[in-house]
Amino acid sequence: MSILVTRPHPENEATADNLRARGHVVLLAPVLKFEPVAFHDESEANYSAIIVTSANAIRAVAPQLQDLGLLKLPLFAVGEHTATAARDAGFVEVIIAGGDSAALRDKVIQSARDKVLKKKSTLLYLAGADLSRDLGGELGTEGFNVVTQTTYRMAPVKILPRDVCEGFAAHGIEAVLHYSRRSARAFLDAARDEGVEISALAIPQCCLSETVASVLRDAGASQVLVAAKPDENALFDTLERALRTRLA
């Protein structure tokens, strides 16, 4: 029996390694594909800090960061994975939030209260093309000036790998891991197009957050579990709980 990982490459490889170390057989079906977007900062703003909600945003502009003079700025990262990508790209001052956009917003606001940032600072938000919430607008209501620059998009992959389709047909997949709302939707669309939607939704769907879980519930999945907090270790704990329940 296999665990299906739907997150994009290259993060899916690290996830697969972690699952194998826990004794699981893994199948990969990256349902979103990373595509960088040309970055041209024409705002001439004097930035006080950078905010980032995905490691992909850093990966997309990494070759330009030094020339743009951005590496000297403090960077607020949504979580540890994004923080690692920031450090690898050359950022020295990296502040880590609690794993989601709300926590990142709160961390920035608290930094202003602690006088780490000025209350009316201009922030550069390196973002994806599809945003799950208006982080820039939320910080704007707190007095920050947020300049949002799209650096990448995640394009849906419309087909599932053949071994994944065969795994669903043979009832050889025992759970699916979902990391984002967009990837959950892309997975559902691909499963529907491949004719395996019923089999796919009949097994546990382990989700990184309640926002992700709602997509699966709306599609008719009956076994939807949500991680206690938005990080991968908590998601793995949720997976183990789902598998124990199935065996009980």
Side-chain angles (χ1 to χ4, degrees):
M1 299 289 280
S2 304
I3 306 300
L4 180 62
V5 177
T6 61
R7 74 187 311 196
H9 182 79
E11 288 85 0
N12 60 355
E13 296 290 351
T15 296
D17 288 344
N18 289 335
L19 286 169
R20 292 182 186 115
R22 290 172 174 243
H24 296 291
V25 177
V26 182
L27 287 175
L28 300 179
V31 293
L32 296 175
K33 182 175 69 172
F34 169 74
E35 295 180 351
V37 173
F39 177 70
H40 303 289
D41 186 11
E42 300 174 352
S43 67
E44 297 184 358
N46 184 22
Y47 300 120
S48 297
I50 298 171
I51 55 176
V52 184
T53 53
S54 170
N56 286 322
I58 299 170
R59 184 181 303 129
V61 297
Q64 299 172 260
L65 291 170
Q66 183 68 51
D67 291 342
L68 292 170
L70 298 178
L71 292 175
K72 67 180 184 294
L73 297 174
L75 182 142
F76 288 82
V78 69
E80 185 58 51
H81 177 68
T82 302
T84 299
R87 295 189 195 101
D88 289 347
F91 286 96
V92 175
E93 186 177 353
V94 180
I95 302 98
I96 307 172
D100 59 19
S101 295
L104 180 59
R105 175 201 61 206
D106 294 344
K107 178 68 76 171
V108 173
I109 293 170
Q110 187 60 49
S111 293
R113 291 172 181 159
D114 295 341
K115 302 189 185 306
V116 175
L117 284 177
K118 293 181 180 179
K119 285 189 175 180
K120 295 186 178 180
S121 297
T122 297
L123 308 176
L124 173 61
Y125 179 16
L126 301 179
D130 296 281
L131 302 176
S132 60
R133 66 188 300 152
D134 184 11
L135 181 60
E138 291 174 20
L139 288 170
T141 64
E142 297 291 332
F144 294 97
N145 175 34
V146 180
V147 177
T148 301
Q149 292 279 4
T150 299
T151 66
Y152 74 99
R153 67 172 62 88
M154 300 303 293
V157 176
K158 299 185 181 298
I159 59 173
L160 295 175
R162 187 48 43 200
D163 58 348
V164 172
C165 293
E166 292 172 353
F168 279 128
H171 304 291
I173 298 174
E174 54 186 343
V176 186
L177 300 187
H178 299 281
Y179 285 75
S180 76
R181 189 178 179 89
R182 285 204 74 226
S183 65
R185 285 199 183 109
F187 169 73
L188 290 169
D189 289 343
R192 190 175 299 119
D193 290 346
E194 296 282 4
V196 297
E197 181 182 21
I198 293 175
S199 298
L201 293 181
I203 60 177
Q205 313 290 316
C206 300
C207 304
L208 196 65
S209 70
E210 184 59 44
T211 301
V212 180
S214 65
V215 176
L216 281 306
R217 290 198 193 96
D218 290 347
S222 58
Q223 302 178 68
V224 181
L225 298 91
V226 183
K229 56 182 180 178
D231 67 46
E232 189 164 73
N233 286 330
L235 184 62
F236 289 167
D237 290 343
T238 301
L239 170 65
E240 300 299 341
R241 176 161 50 91
L243 298 181
R244 285 195 301 269
T245 300
R246 292 197 82 196
L247 292 173

